[in-house]
Amino acid sequence: MRLDYLTIFPDYLAPLRLSLPGKAIDSGLLELHVHDLRAWTHDRHHTTDDTPYGGGAGMVMKPEPFGEAFEALGVGAGDTVVFTTPSGQPFDQRVAEDLATRERLVFACGRYEGIDQRVIDHARTIAEVREISLGDYVLNGGEVAALAITEAVVRLLPGFMGNAASLVEESHAEGGLLEYPVYTKPRTWQDREVPDVLLSGDHGRIARWRHEQAVRRTAERRPDLLHPSALDDGTPIVRAVRGDAEELLTLQRACWVQEAIANEMLDIPALHETLDEVRADLDRWETYVVRRAGRLVGSVRGRLDGDVWEIGRLAVAPDLQGQGLGRVLLGHVEAVAPSGAASYRLVTGARNERNLGLYKKAGYRLRRDLAAPSGAVTLTKRL
Ligand code: SAM
């Protein structure tokens, strides 16, 4: 694989020659070229940035040095130009696996407010373009992102790692689980013991223990990986963010007005909540939402109360009810219950036959012995 980097800070990429990548370069598995973008400037100050058209803060990277660099480096069909940008596709192991199949990656590292858009548009006409983000935060420049992407990609190249098996078992591998905890010598350290099972020599037991640990860790830390739930058409159910609050409030009002009319209950708390309360609840509950054609059409939330996973606000846009969306959302919130949960609990309108039917079908039992707001009933189900 050949890797090229266009940057105004070539020294940032010096670590690429350390450790394993260094060895891979020596062995001919990797060809690596770091280019100082200023080599393609023609003024005395080697200027690579200028003020933004339309005004605003900061500077923008000029298009000409990138254009000349692409030409001088012969970037063309079959090559992939990677623009590192916070507005790109989030980088993950699947993207790394995909990039590892390419013959040549050319990283264009941004600085300042980013790169003139025409560079990206132009690159698209001569090569494959990928705009990739390291995560939802802003770095000073694209070099650190290029380094991280490189490291994740090149370790997947056949022959790069001494032990290819370690690729199969680690976090984010094909199985989608986080890795189990690992231990080495000494057997006792600071009064802490290595788990007995790992000393048993029983490979079957060890494999089972590791799998259990991986599942538990994933459920606790990244339930979204364990249950990447989606509707039948592949629409994902995702964790709600603060920016969803307005739409959540709208959905909630639409659903609970309907519920209130059907049950002659006008004191349903969800009907009277303010936007600020909905926002605050997003911090207190794990809320999940689903969108259709960009519109937020379903929600549900859960939170742990002792060993009870309390489920609430199961809502489906009135025009999409009766299509099974509620059942899928309920299944999702049940699936993401943390490992400490022993049962599920929810509350619904005592006269809401449709909801009661849904919950009973899903295995919930009516619990008249448990408190519920007036006009409502509590239902529970054991995990
Ligand atoms: N104004 C830009 C914006 O809001 O999207 C941010 C520019 S940032 C200060 C400068 C450069 O750092 C970007 O052009 C990009 O190359 C790189 N960068 C910053 N955050 C990044 C991230 N999360 N992932 C990948 N690259 C990033």
Side-chain angles (χ1 to χ4, degrees), residues 84-86 110-114 132-135 137-142 145:
T84 52
T85 161
R111 281 268 151 185
Y112 317 115
E113 292 310 316
I132 297 181
S133 166
L134 210 54
Y137 42 80
V138 179
L139 301 164
N140 273 339

Side-chain angles (χ1 to χ4, degrees), residues 27-177:
S27 72
L29 188 65
L30 266 189
E31 201 185 314
L32 203 135
H33 304 271
V34 178
H35 311 277
D36 186 346
L37 191 66
R38 295 191 199 277
W40 290 285
T41 57
H42 304 287
D43 62 318
R44 204 153 53 88
H45 300 292
H46 301 292
T47 313
T48 53
D49 59 307
D50 211 332
T51 52
Y53 271 120
M59 302 294 272
V60 174
M61 295 193 83
K62 290 163 68 58
E64 306 95 312
F66 282 104
E68 286 187 32
F70 291 154
E71 207 174 320
L73 299 176
V75 176
D79 297 337
T80 299
V81 184
V82 177
F83 290 94
T84 52
T85 161
S87 44
Q89 174 187 20
F91 187 59
D92 64 14
Q93 193 66 13
R94 301 291 89 79
V95 177
E97 284 162 2
D98 185 28
L99 292 180
T101 64
R102 304 297 193 275
E103 291 284 315
R104 184 189 190 190
L105 300 176
V106 180
F107 289 91
C109 302
R111 281 268 151 185
Y112 317 115
E113 292 310 316
I115 302 172
D116 187 304
Q117 178 62 36
R118 290 167 297 179
V119 176
I120 298 139
D121 298 341
H122 166 64
R124 257 197 201 101
T125 65
I126 59 172
E128 181 197 28
V129 163
R130 301 291 293 266
E131 293 183 77
I132 297 181
S133 166
L134 210 54
D136 291 340
Y137 42 80
V138 179
L139 301 164
N140 273 339
E143 290 76 9
V144 169
L147 271 176
I149 295 168
T150 301
E151 196 156 310
V153 168
V154 298
R155 64 198 299 284
L156 297 174
L157 297 179
F160 181 84
M161 300 279 282
N163 181 2
S166 52
L167 290 180
V168 178
E169 288 186 10
E170 65 193 0
S171 299
H172 304 296
E174 208 64 40
L177 297 177

